[in-house]
């Protein structure tokens, strides 16, 4: 594609060189530059792409997109300067790949908690409805049965358009994706055409990146502000900031609720460790998912499916047979009836939701024994440190025993993170709390403390199959380690 077509209808500040230059690929990584490349210089949080412009030219770049022209101009190279390279990259990528998002129904899901569950449930539901579908999520990207590992919750704009093209080539008609707050601020969704957007909820998270909670809210709202009039905007009206998301959107405004009047109304009739019995728009339905938070997830999925033109009865029938996404309230039960629950809960609100659900669902057994709740939890390194003592305090409030352990310490010292968590343990709960840095050992200890019918919550990593320590990712799967600990105990 020629540069003049690549930047069609995109505002530019200045150009140098021929706009008839032929471009064969786009990249923001100077290591991937080749003959005919357009190298896009982006100011990132770690590195500034402008420092790699000369490297890109030496490797054959035909054109440079940047915010600041270099002091030395190569006459054989075309230069385009813009106000925001990241945003223009998204718009140019959409042009280069011929707007694949306009040729299918793309639905974005945003919020602090529930994004992966909602996107995955929609993907499974629409496949069950007979459609070919794509999924872009924290856990994985998927094209029908083909799984593509995910590196970010929301990929960069070039990768995104490449994936959407591939999905179209495989006959996909619907794509469901998580939209992170980072991706909105970093313009990774620029140029995409959405058929709908869903808001789950918002609580304190990612303040290490956004700085303030208000900035975080604005980032989430920014997604809805970009939706076209042809799209729907579906929000959780029970969240006190749910309606805020709709204030400036041009999209059709729709709501869902368990507590008040809404476009899509639900009511929990019964909740147990085996499933949810709900009333959804006057239809009684039994779901395999568990807990109040999943009632909201299911209601948003139902609402989105109906807004996409599906029959309500068909949607509810198929939803009733769908199982939870991996690492989301996922159960691992021992031979001695100890119930292990692996969940991705890594924010205070998510942890409290899961623990409140477990407390509501545990029941006295035949011998009159009330199962104890043993919670194992850690906090990630190089992330919002303010939530660490809060997470520990919540674990203590809703659990009978608590084990503080490593999550993904990344480049921080694990014990430094744990000491910050310990600061949130009330004096009255010190005796029931242990700190074990080694996560494998911590899970084994949790199992050794458990009696039959007790419930062990292993929180924070969920679907992840690694533990990141000092820049190295080691194999670590909470489910596998928990199952191994159960087996060891059974053999003793």
């Amino acid at each position: 594609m020629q540069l003049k077509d690549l930047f069609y209808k995109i505002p530019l500040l200045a150009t140098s060189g021929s706009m008839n230059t032929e471009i064969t690929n786009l990249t923001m990584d100077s290591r991937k530059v080749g003959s005919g490349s357009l190298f896009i210089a982006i100011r990132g949080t770690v590195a500034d792409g402008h420092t790699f412009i000369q490297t890109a030219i030496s490797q054959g770049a035909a054109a440079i997109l940047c915010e600041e022209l270099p002091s030395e101009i190569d006459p054989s190279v075309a230069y385009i300067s813009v106000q925001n390279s990241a945003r223009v990259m998204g718009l140019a990528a959409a042009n280069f790949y011929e707007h694949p998002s306009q040729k299918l129904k793309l639905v974005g899901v945003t919020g602090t908690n529930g994004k992966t569950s909602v996107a995955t449930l929609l993907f499974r539901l629409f496949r069950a409805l007979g459609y070919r579908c794509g999924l872009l999520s924290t856990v994985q990207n998927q094209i029908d049965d083909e799984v593509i590992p995910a590196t970010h919750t929301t990929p960069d704009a070039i990768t995104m358009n490449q994936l959407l093209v591939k999905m179209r080539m495989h006959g996909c008609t619907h794509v469901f994706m998580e939209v992170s707050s980072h991706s909105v601020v970093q313009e990774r969704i620029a140029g995409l055409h959405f058929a709908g957007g869903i808001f789950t909820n918002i609580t304190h998270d990612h303040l290490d990146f956004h700085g303030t909670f208000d900035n975080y809210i604005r980032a989430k709202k920014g997604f809805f502000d970009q939706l076209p009039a042809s799209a729907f905007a579906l929000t959780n009206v029970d969240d006190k900031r749910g309606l805020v998301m709709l204030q400036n959107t041009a999209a059709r405004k729709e709501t869902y609720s368990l507590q008040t009047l809404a476009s899509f109304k639900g009511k929990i009739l019964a909740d147990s460790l085996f499933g949810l019995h709900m009333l959804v728009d006057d239809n009684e339905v039994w779901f395999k998912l568990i807990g109040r938070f999943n009632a909201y997830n299911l209601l948003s999925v139902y609402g989105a499916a109906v807004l996409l033109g599906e029959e309500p009865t068909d949607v509810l029938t198929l939803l009733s047979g769908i199982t939870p996404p991996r690492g989301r309230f996922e159960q691992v039960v021992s031979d001695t009836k100890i119930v292990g629950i692996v969940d991705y809960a890594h924010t205070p609100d998510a942890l409290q939701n899961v623990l409140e659900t477990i407390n509501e669902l545990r029941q006295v057994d035949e011998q009159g024994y009330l199962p104890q709740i043993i919670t194992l939890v850690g906090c990630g390194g190089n992330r919002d440190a303010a939530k660490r003592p809060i997470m520990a305090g919540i674990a203590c409030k809703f659990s009978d025993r608590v084990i503080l352990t490593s999550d993904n310490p990344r480049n921080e010292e694990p014990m430094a993170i744990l000491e910050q968590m310990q600061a949130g343990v009330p004096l009255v709960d010190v005796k029931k709390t242990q700190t074990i840095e080694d996560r494998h050992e911590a899970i084994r200890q949790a199992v050794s403390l458990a009696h039959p019918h007790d419930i062990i919550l292993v929180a924070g990593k969920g679907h992840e199959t690694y533990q990141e320590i000092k820049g190295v990712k080691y194999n670590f799967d909470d489910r596998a380690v928990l199952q191994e600990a159960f087996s060891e105990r059974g053999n003793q």
Side-chain angles (χ1 to χ4, degrees):
M1 181 176 287
Q2 291 185 344
L3 281 176
K4 63 183 180 183
D5 298 319
L6 184 62
F7 291 104
Y8 180 64
K9 288 189 175 180
I10 300 175
L12 309 177
L13 294 179
T15 64
S16 172
S18 174
M19 292 300 285
N20 292 321
T21 300
E22 196 76 24
I23 298 300
T24 56
N25 74 299
L26 316 180
T27 183
M28 53 188 280
D29 186 342
S30 61
R31 294 165 297 184
K32 296 179 180 178
V33 170
S35 179
S37 294
L38 168 67
F39 173 67
I40 302 159
I42 292 178
R43 301 188 194 278
T45 53
V46 177
D48 184 351
H50 289 74
T51 62
F52 299 99
I53 288 176
Q54 294 307 321
T55 302
I57 291 172
S58 68
Q59 292 178 190
I64 303 294
L65 174 65
C66 56
E67 294 174 9
E68 184 180 341
L69 292 171
S71 55
E72 294 183 18
I73 299 293
D74 186 325
S76 67
V77 176
Y79 297 83
I80 302 94
S81 69
V82 294
Q83 188 170 3
N84 185 329
S85 294
R87 176 168 180 75
V88 172
M89 179 174 76
L91 301 174
N95 282 343
F96 187 77
Y97 292 102
E98 299 180 336
H99 299 276
S101 62
Q102 293 183 7
K103 300 169 185 175
L104 39 74
K105 292 182 178 179
L106 176 64
V107 176
V109 186
T110 197
T112 305
N113 303 308
K115 293 188 299 295
T116 300
S117 293
V118 171
T120 304
L121 288 170
L122 278 166
F123 174 76
R124 293 181 181 177
L125 170 64
F126 273 77
R127 290 196 70 195
L129 284 163
Y131 297 99
R132 289 184 178 273
C133 299
L135 173 68
L136 297 163
S137 80
T138 303
V139 179
Q140 64 194 30
N141 300 321
Q142 194 166 341
I143 304 174
D144 269 351
D145 291 321
E146 182 187 355
V147 175
I148 304 166
T151 56
H152 294 80
T153 299
T154 311
D156 66 78
I158 297 171
T159 304
M160 180 88 67
N161 279 278
Q162 289 171 341
L163 283 167
L164 292 174
V165 167
K166 189 173 183 181
M167 290 172 179
R168 276 289 297 155
M169 290 174 64
H170 280 74
C172 292
T173 55
H174 296 73
V175 176
F176 306 101
M177 66 174 284
E178 296 183 47
V179 177
S180 69
S181 55
H182 292 65
S183 72
V184 178
V185 173
Q186 295 172 347
E187 301 283 6
R188 282 184 248 153
I189 60 170
L192 295 181
H193 179 86
F194 287 90
I198 302 169
F199 171 72
T200 58
N201 52 66
I202 193 163
T203 59
H204 285 257
D205 196 22
H206 300 305
L207 300 193
D208 55 310
F209 177 81
H210 295 289
T212 68
F213 190 43
D214 283 344
N215 288 341
Y216 182 42
I217 293 169
R218 276 194 289 271
K220 294 292 187 189
K221 183 178 178 297
F223 167 54
F224 293 93
D225 291 348
Q226 297 177 38
L227 291 178
S230 58
F232 66 81
L234 177 63
T235 194
N236 175 4
V237 76
D238 292 345
D239 186 285
K240 62 182 180 181
R241 294 176 179 86
L243 290 177
V244 171
M245 298 295 148
L246 306 185
Q247 284 178 350
N248 302 110
T249 187
R252 173 183 171 187
K253 299 175 182 180
E254 302 287 352
T255 57
Y256 64 96
S257 171
L258 293 176
Q259 300 175 7
T260 188
L261 290 174
S263 310
F264 304 97
K265 183 74 170 68
K267 181 181 179 181
I268 298 174
L269 301 177
D271 194 3
S272 74
L273 279 172
F274 306 100
L276 271 167
H277 183 199
M278 288 182 65
L279 196 64
V280 180
D281 282 352
D282 298 324
N283 298 292
E284 281 194 43
V285 194
W286 175 265
F287 298 106
K288 292 183 178 180
L289 278 69
I290 299 161
R292 186 177 183 83
F293 57 94
N294 270 323
Y296 279 106
N297 292 339
L298 288 161
L299 200 52
S300 71
V301 170
Y302 165 73
V306 172
L307 291 171
L308 286 168
E310 302 305 313
E311 285 296 323
T313 304
D314 294 342
V315 171
L316 292 174
T317 300
L318 291 171
L319 264 183
S320 67
I322 292 177
T323 54
R326 187 158 57 98
R328 268 63 180 178
F329 216 92
E330 188 172 0
Q331 295 187 32
V332 181
V333 183
S334 77
D335 293 337
T336 56
K337 305 301 180 185
I338 300 170
V339 179
I341 296 172
V342 175
D343 195 89
Y344 189 53
H346 62 287
T347 66
D349 185 65
L351 182 63
Q352 183 166 330
N353 281 339
V354 171
L355 283 170
E356 284 182 338
T357 297
I358 294 171
N359 273 279
E360 290 168 5
L361 300 185
R362 67 171 168 170
Q363 297 178 347
V364 175
D365 66 13
E366 300 83 9
Q367 285 74 45
Y369 175 67
L370 179 65
Q372 64 175 342
I373 298 171
I374 303 168
T375 296
L376 180 147
V377 65
C379 290
N382 304 112
R383 298 292 187 271
D384 184 6
K387 68 183 180 184
R388 293 170 185 173
I390 300 171
M391 295 276 284
I394 288 170
C396 290
K397 181 179 180 180
F398 295 98
S399 311
D400 300 292
R401 305 291 292 268
V402 174
I403 300 175
L404 305 180
T405 189
S406 286
D407 190 287
N408 290 317
R410 297 184 177 88
N411 293 320
E412 288 193 61
E413 289 300 325
M415 280 309 301
I417 297 172
L418 290 169
E419 286 168 6
Q420 291 176 16
M421 293 187 72
Q422 288 169 346
V425 177
L427 285 175
V428 69
D429 293 324
V430 169
K431 286 187 177 180
K432 73 177 186 182
T433 305
Q434 294 176 258
T435 300
I436 302 174
E437 179 183 337
D438 185 298
R439 193 175 180 91
H440 191 285
E441 206 48 50
I443 292 175
R444 291 180 65 187
Q445 175 65 3
V447 171
S448 73
L449 292 172
H451 301 104
H453 304 291
D454 283 350
I455 302 166
I456 300 172
L457 172 64
V458 183
K461 288 174 57 59
H463 62 278
E464 294 176 349
T465 56
Y466 63 86
Q467 189 173 29
E468 186 176 344
I469 304 171
K470 300 295 183 185
V472 179
K473 288 187 176 181
Y474 299 91
N475 289 332
F476 198 102
D477 185 334
D478 280 348
R479 296 163 304 160
V481 175
L482 184 58
Q483 190 65 65
E484 176 188 292
F486 281 154
S487 298
E488 287 176 0
R489 173 169 169 150
N491 293 330
Q492 291 175 354

